[in-house]
């Protein structure tokens, strides 16, 4: 509801400082504000149309009861304004801070020199790491301790994801499914981040995060059902393969448009904040997604509303065939957090222990401090972008092989687990044999399972289908009956 304040532009700053973004306008606030700024805050104008008895604008005193009827309700902001003031009001100790502009958002010190900000700090933001390439703990590392059972579970899930990708990719190449996309080289980001979260945390994925579902109990059979689009697929065969979703596991369905999930995640996180939930929202994107406007809108939205959301960017160097040097000139993604007032960290995405520790800390920060956090995970997409891509056309083969062999996140974590005496070659053989057997079995089951009936093409949008949709269904059925040889026979009519 629009509200116009007479005589004063300064009131927007005053409201922001007193009650946060959009504000909660209480009678007590009106009284105190009037006493402090009697000349600039004396009346409120209610525009025409707000009240049916007053067709033209009217001016009411601020202590009038009617002003309270139009209070803007919002979940109260925390101490963002004071934090901003503390952070920026004394940035330059070499100059007289008494000579400053009392600008909305905090005081800005004047300086006599013409000074442009550099395009960079000169040094790149360092990357948090715990395990070296040989799977040994780096001396002085700060990380979360893992039990034997938990560490083995993380490793087993990383292997399961790796093998599932291999088998499903081959199934696509055999023409058994229409499309597939792997997480090869990014298994640590998938599984370790999932392990650091609570099942109450809501996930908004991009499309390269099936490991989160795997960790939460989504079975390999359920993955196969979705890829084959059979009647047991929760999407009823209407989504393309790898567009997984599960309400049970708080995993919002994958959608192909890049970065659209990011502002949605902030809105969901804000609702958790309003309901005082002890959980957060975690959303993923790739480096290519940060070139979308939705990424910037989401970060600003999250910072201003202080939403408990963790943004995880998988910076794997390539947005399909576009190298990061052709996407941006900034030092990766991590530096963008500070520009929007968001705490950020850069982590080695091929180090499962570092990823787990960083996401564990980010989650705690998001919930306890009620604020967004940005995590940039440096990794490498060791596979093709998808089954529709041939990455050897734009990347050197030896570069791909190097990351597959020397920087493999699964192998690195295995070395650490083995060094602790928690794993052996015998256990490795048993695990891989069991997973392979299970994968071949679920594919056979999914492939033989009946397809969803034709009616599902037209359901679940309207409670009562409109006439034009009913006409479309009628025409489709008539066409199929007239030309049965041109349509699949395994789809029930």
């Amino acid at each position: 509801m629009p509200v116009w304040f007479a005589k004063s532009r300064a009131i927007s700053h005053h409201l922001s400082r007193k009650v946060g973004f959009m504000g909660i306008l209480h009678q007590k606030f009106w009284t105190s504000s009037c006493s402090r700024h009697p000349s600039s805050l004396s009346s409120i104008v209610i525009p025409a149309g707000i009240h049916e008895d007053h067709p033209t604008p009217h001016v009411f005193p601020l202590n009038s009861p009617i002003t309270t009827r139009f209070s803007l309700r919002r979940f109260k902001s925390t101490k963002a304004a004071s934090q901003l003031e503390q952070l920026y009001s004394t940035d330059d100790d070499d100059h007289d801070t008494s000579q400053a502009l009392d600008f909305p958002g905090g005081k800005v010190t004047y300086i006599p020199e013409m000074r442009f900000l550099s395009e960079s700090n000169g040094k790149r933001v360092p990357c948090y790491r715990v395990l070296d390439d040989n799977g040994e703990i780096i001396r002085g590392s700060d990380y979360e301790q893992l039990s034997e059972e938990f560490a083995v579970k993380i490793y087993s899930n990383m292997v399961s994801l790796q093998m599932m990708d291999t088998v499903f990719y081959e199934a696509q190449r055999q023409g058994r499914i229409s499309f597939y996309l792997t997480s090869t080289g990014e298994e640590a980001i998938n599984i370790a981040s999932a392990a650091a979260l609570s099942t109450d945390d809501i996930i908004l994925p991009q499309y390269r995060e099936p490991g989160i579902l795997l960790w939460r109990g989504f079975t390999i059979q359920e993955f196969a059902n979705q890829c084959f689009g059979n009647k047991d697929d929760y999407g009823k065969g209407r989504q393309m393969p790898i567009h997984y979703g599960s309400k049970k596991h708080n995993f919002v369905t994958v959608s192909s448009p890049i970065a659209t999930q990011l502002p949605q995640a902030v809105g969901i996180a804000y609702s958790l904040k309003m309901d005082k939930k002890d959980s957060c929202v975690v959303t993923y994107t790739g480096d290519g997604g940060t070139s979308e406007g939705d990424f910037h809108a989401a970060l600003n939205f999250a910072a201003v509303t202080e939403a408990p959301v963790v943004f995880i960017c998988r910076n794997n160097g390539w947005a399909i065939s576009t190298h990061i040097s052709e996407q941006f000139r900034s030092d990766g993604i991590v530096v963008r957090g500070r520009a929007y007032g968001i705490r950020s960290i850069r982590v080695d995405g091929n180090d499962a222990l570092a990823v787990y520790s960083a996401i564990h800390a980010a989650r705690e920060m998001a919930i306890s401090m009620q604020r967004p956090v940005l995590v940039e995970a440096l990794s490498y997409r060791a596979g093709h972008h998808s089954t529709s891509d041939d990455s050897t056309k734009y990347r050197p083969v030896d570069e791909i092989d190097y990351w597959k062999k020397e920087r493999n996140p699964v192998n690195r974590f295995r070395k650490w687990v083995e060094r602790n005496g928690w794993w052996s070659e015998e256990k490795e053989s048993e695990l891989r044999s069991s997973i392979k057997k299970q994968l071949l079995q679920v594919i056979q089951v999914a492939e033989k399972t009946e397809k969803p009936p034709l009616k599902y093409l037209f359901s679940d949008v309207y409670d009562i289908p409109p006439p034009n949709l009913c006409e479309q269904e009628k025409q489709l059925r008539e066409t199929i009956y007239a030309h049965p040889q041109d349509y699949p026979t395994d789809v029930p009519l």
Side-chain angles (χ1 to χ4, degrees):
M1 181 180 299
V3 179
W4 282 262
F5 292 96
K7 301 182 181 180
S8 175
R9 293 184 179 180
I11 185 60
S12 60
H13 167 59
H14 190 70
L15 287 173
S16 174
R17 295 291 303 277
K18 292 292 284 186
V19 292
F21 177 69
M22 288 185 68
I24 302 177
L25 311 183
H26 292 301
Q27 181 68 31
K28 180 180 178 180
F29 170 64
W30 289 118
T31 305
S32 63
S33 297
C34 287
S35 64
R36 291 179 60 187
H37 304 281
S39 62
S40 64
L41 184 57
S42 58
S43 60
I44 181 171
V45 179
I46 307 301
I50 287 182
H51 196 287
E52 58 185 4
D53 296 330
H54 301 287
T56 57
H58 285 262
V59 179
F60 297 94
L62 283 177
N63 58 2
S64 168
I66 195 169
T67 59
T68 62
R69 299 181 190 177
F70 305 103
S71 298
L72 299 176
R73 298 296 299 174
R74 173 192 182 267
F75 184 77
K76 191 172 183 180
S77 174
T78 56
K79 42 186 182 289
S82 62
Q83 290 172 347
L84 196 65
E85 183 111 341
Q86 292 171 10
L87 183 61
Y88 295 114
S89 62
T90 58
D91 272 356
D92 198 335
D93 295 331
D94 297 333
H95 296 87
D96 183 4
T97 56
S98 64
Q99 300 296 317
L101 172 65
D102 189 10
F103 192 76
K107 290 185 178 181
V108 181
T109 305
Y110 289 116
I111 60 173
E113 302 91 353
M114 183 187 298
R115 186 183 300 175
F116 289 87
L117 293 178
S118 172
E119 66 276 10
S120 70
N121 292 326
K123 294 183 178 180
R124 299 200 67 181
V125 175
C127 182
Y128 169 60
R129 192 186 198 194
V130 177
L131 297 177
D132 64 18
D133 290 339
N134 293 319
E136 295 187 24
I137 298 289
I138 299 171
R139 178 179 292 186
S141 295
D142 177 19
Y143 66 97
E144 290 289 326
Q145 300 291 329
L146 302 182
S147 67
E148 176 181 351
E149 180 183 4
F150 200 67
V152 169
K153 182 180 178 183
I154 290 176
Y155 177 69
S156 298
N157 273 261
M158 290 174 71
V159 172
S160 297
L161 177 59
Q162 185 185 63
M163 294 189 67
M164 183 176 78
D165 278 346
T166 300
V167 173
F168 282 7
Y169 188 92
E170 290 303 320
Q172 192 282 333
R173 286 295 187 241
Q174 295 168 6
R176 300 166 83 173
I177 57 177
S178 61
F179 178 84
Y180 195 72
L181 182 151
T182 72
S183 303
T184 307
E186 301 178 47
E187 294 90 351
I189 299 175
N190 267 252
I191 304 301
S193 66
L197 303 174
S198 163
T199 54
D200 291 330
D201 298 329
I202 300 173
I203 306 298
L204 280 85
Q206 186 182 26
Y207 44 61
R208 214 178 293 275
E209 295 85 24
I212 288 89
L213 269 178
L214 185 66
W215 177 268
R216 292 190 171 192
F218 202 74
T219 67
I220 295 180
Q221 184 66 67
E222 289 174 307
F223 282 112
N225 290 339
Q226 197 284 325
C227 288
F228 280 87
N230 61 36
K231 69 179 183 64
D232 293 330
D233 167 29
Y234 301 128
K236 300 180 181 178
R238 293 179 295 213
Q239 288 275 10
M240 64 186 290
I242 68 91
H243 280 45
Y244 311 112
S246 174
K247 183 178 181 180
K248 174 183 177 182
H249 298 297
N250 283 327
F251 191 93
V252 178
T253 303
V254 172
S255 61
S256 286
I258 302 299
T260 55
Q261 73 278 9
L262 303 180
Q264 297 166 6
V266 181
I268 295 173
Y270 191 66
S271 72
L272 295 180
K273 179 174 183 171
M274 293 179 70
D275 292 337
K276 302 185 186 302
K277 298 290 187 180
D278 188 27
S279 56
C280 67
V281 174
V282 180
T283 186
Y284 296 77
T285 189
D287 48 275
T290 68
S291 297
E292 295 286 341
D294 277 343
F295 172 81
H296 301 274
L299 262 62
N300 192 54
F301 185 21
V304 172
T305 58
E306 298 175 307
V309 55
V310 179
F311 298 96
I312 301 178
C313 174
R314 298 173 291 90
N315 185 351
N316 60 28
W318 295 88
I320 308 183
S321 59
T322 304
H323 190 263
I324 55 174
S325 63
E326 298 176 353
Q327 289 189 68
F328 43 76
R329 289 291 181 266
S330 62
D331 178 14
I333 314 303
V334 66
V335 294
R336 303 184 191 185
R338 188 172 188 181
Y340 288 105
I342 295 177
R343 289 191 180 182
S344 311
I345 187 172
R346 171 175 281 164
V347 60
D348 183 352
N350 287 19
D351 178 354
L353 206 50
V355 172
Y356 174 81
S357 300
I359 301 305
H360 184 276
R363 178 185 184 273
E364 290 298 314
M365 193 180 298
I367 295 174
S368 63
M369 298 183 181
Q370 291 293 287
R371 66 190 309 160
V373 182
L374 172 64
V375 179
E376 178 187 20
L378 298 182
S379 186
Y380 188 84
R381 194 194 75 222
H384 304 299
H385 175 76
S386 70
T387 50
S388 302
D389 174 51
D390 179 3
S391 62
T392 63
K393 299 297 184 182
Y394 53 83
R395 300 190 297 183
V397 175
D398 56 352
E399 176 184 297
I400 301 172
D401 290 340
Y402 167 75
W403 282 89
K404 277 185 177 181
K405 297 173 182 177
E406 303 300 325
R407 305 300 301 277
N408 189 303
V410 181
N411 293 348
R412 191 197 301 190
F413 193 64
R414 176 185 174 179
K415 291 176 182 178
W416 179 74
V417 176
E418 285 181 329
R419 188 169 283 109
N420 285 314
W422 299 339
W423 200 248
S424 65
E425 189 63 42
E426 181 182 356
K427 291 180 179 179
E428 180 79 12
S429 179
E430 290 177 357
L431 174 64
R432 289 185 177 273
S433 176
S434 174
I435 295 172
K436 183 177 180 180
K437 181 179 179 180
Q438 185 181 355
L439 281 165
L440 295 177
Q441 181 179 356
V442 300
I443 284 180
Q444 291 179 357
V445 171
E447 199 168 30
K448 293 177 181 178
T449 302
E450 189 178 53
K451 299 296 183 183
L454 187 69
K455 65 179 181 180
Y456 285 156
L457 278 176
F458 304 91
S459 63
D460 298 333
V461 176
Y462 298 96
D463 180 30
I464 301 176
N468 65 315
L469 198 61
C470 294
E471 180 62 25
Q472 289 178 30
E473 181 178 2
K474 178 184 176 183
Q475 291 178 357
L476 176 60
R477 292 183 181 279
E478 290 174 349
T479 303
I480 293 175
Y481 290 136
H483 308 280
Q485 71 280 2
D486 296 327
Y487 290 87
T489 58
D490 57 348
V491 177
L493 300 180

